[in-house]
Amino acid sequence: MADKHINARGLQCPGPIVELFKVAKAAESGDVITIEVTDCGFSKDINAWCKKTGNELVSLEETDGVIHAVIKKS
Amino acid sequence: MSSKTIIMFSGDLDKAMASLIIANGAAAMGDEVTMFFTFWGLNVLRKAKKIKVKKEFMENMFGFMMPRGADKLALSKMNFGGAGTAMMKSIMKKKNVSSLPALLESAQAMGVKMIACTMSMDVMGIKAEELIDGVELAGVATYLGEAENSNVNLFI
């Protein structure tokens, strides 16, 4: 198991999910991925992405306009 | 895994951007994506530089009048002879929105299948050598075959 971090600050849609997909694809089951995003649509998108791809959304919070999401690869 | 199909009929910058954003997003959701480029949409796939190929007079005229590639497309509204498009591109760059060529490259890297309609190519005099690499050439049956297995189909 490994922890991966993605800085997707400043990226516009669909940049953040594209980056997340690439990292998740290369990750192993159980790996934890943290992603930071400034595109405010991401809060909703990450729920849809996790539901669709079957990965687990461990936490989702926003501080000072930056969304931090933690995803566990299934 | 589900799949999505998109028909890119338009050669307008804004519409092509919408299509490519959806295609990138769908690929990032783990879907198989097929884009079928026909009529004006073929211009999205043209190489930016002029390629020497044998053409008839009318084909040459067509080729000359149509935008050569993703970076040359114009907005469907408020183009104002190119000023509107230039303004929009500069705003998008400032806001860090990916350019259309970048979206195309990203889609291809994620395995989005791109098919150019051979009938449209023939009508508009666009040769295979003039299209970017990695594009397949096929007809409506190939697209329909893909659409059969797809749960979202868009005509843009």
Side-chain angles (χ1 to χ4, degrees):
Chain A
M1 286 212 299
D3 284 348
K4 293 174 196 300
H5 185 263
I6 306 166
N7 180 358
R9 291 180 190 213
L11 288 186
Q12 295 272 20
C13 177
I17 57 164
V18 167
E19 292 309 311
L20 178 57
F21 178 73
K22 285 183 195 160
V23 172
K25 200 177 172 190
E28 312 234 341
S29 177
D31 283 358
V32 173
I33 305 164
T34 310
I35 183 167
E36 289 177 8
V37 182
T38 46
D39 169 23
C40 65
F42 187 76
S43 299
K44 264 202 163 315
D45 277 16
I46 188 60
N47 281 291
W49 187 87
C50 286
K51 197 173 166 194
K52 172 81 174 98
T53 57
N55 295 298
E56 185 194 341
L57 182 58
V58 180
S59 73
L60 176 66
E61 53 191 54
E62 188 179 339
T63 41
D64 300 327
V66 181
I67 300 159
H68 299 260
V70 180
I71 298 106
K72 191 172 176 186
K73 176 153 177 172
S74 58
Chain B
M1 193 201 284
S2 50
S3 75
K4 314 278 182 253
T5 44
I6 300 172
I7 302 170
M8 186 76 245
F9 176 89
S10 168
D12 294 328
L13 173 64
D14 37 14
K15 294 182 187 181
M17 283 206 63
S19 299
L20 263 304
I21 289 171
I22 296 167
N24 273 283
M29 302 279 270
D31 282 340
E32 228 172 64
V33 186
T34 301
M35 298 184 80
F36 187 71
F37 294 79
T38 186
F39 283 89
W40 313 113
L42 281 176
N43 291 319
V44 179
L45 298 180
R46 287 174 84 190
K47 283 179 184 154
K49 76 169 206 260
K50 190 169 165 39
I51 305 293
K52 255 205 142 108
V53 279
K54 225 179 144 190
K55 287 194 190 193
E56 289 168 19
F57 175 73
M58 285 299 279
E59 290 180 334
N60 259 324
M61 291 297 285
F62 248 110
F64 175 72
M65 288 187 291
M66 295 187 304
R68 193 178 287 131
D71 206 28
K72 298 278 167 54
L73 305 185
L75 287 175
S76 66
K77 287 191 177 13
M78 308 205 310
N79 184 40
F80 302 134
T85 296
M87 205 181 290
M88 177 66 92
K89 277 186 177 174
S90 108
I91 292 169
M92 289 197 298
K93 196 172 177 187
K94 203 170 128 198
K95 304 236 178 214
N96 207 24
V97 174
S98 301
S99 67
L100 187 57
L103 286 167
L104 261 179
E105 207 183 305
S106 157
Q108 282 192 310
M110 280 200 294
V112 171
K113 200 196 277 182
M114 303 201 176
I115 302 173
C117 164
T118 48
M119 186 274 271
S120 302
M121 286 174 68
D122 195 30
V123 169
M124 298 162 97
I126 293 176
K127 313 291 178 196
E129 300 92 311
E130 295 178 90
L131 301 180
I132 57 172
D133 295 336
V135 173
E136 295 173 34
L137 309 183
V140 72
T142 304
Y143 152 71
L144 286 168
E146 298 286 350
E148 189 80 26
N149 307 317
S150 148
N151 61 357
V152 168
N153 182 38
L154 300 171
F155 184 96
I156 300 177

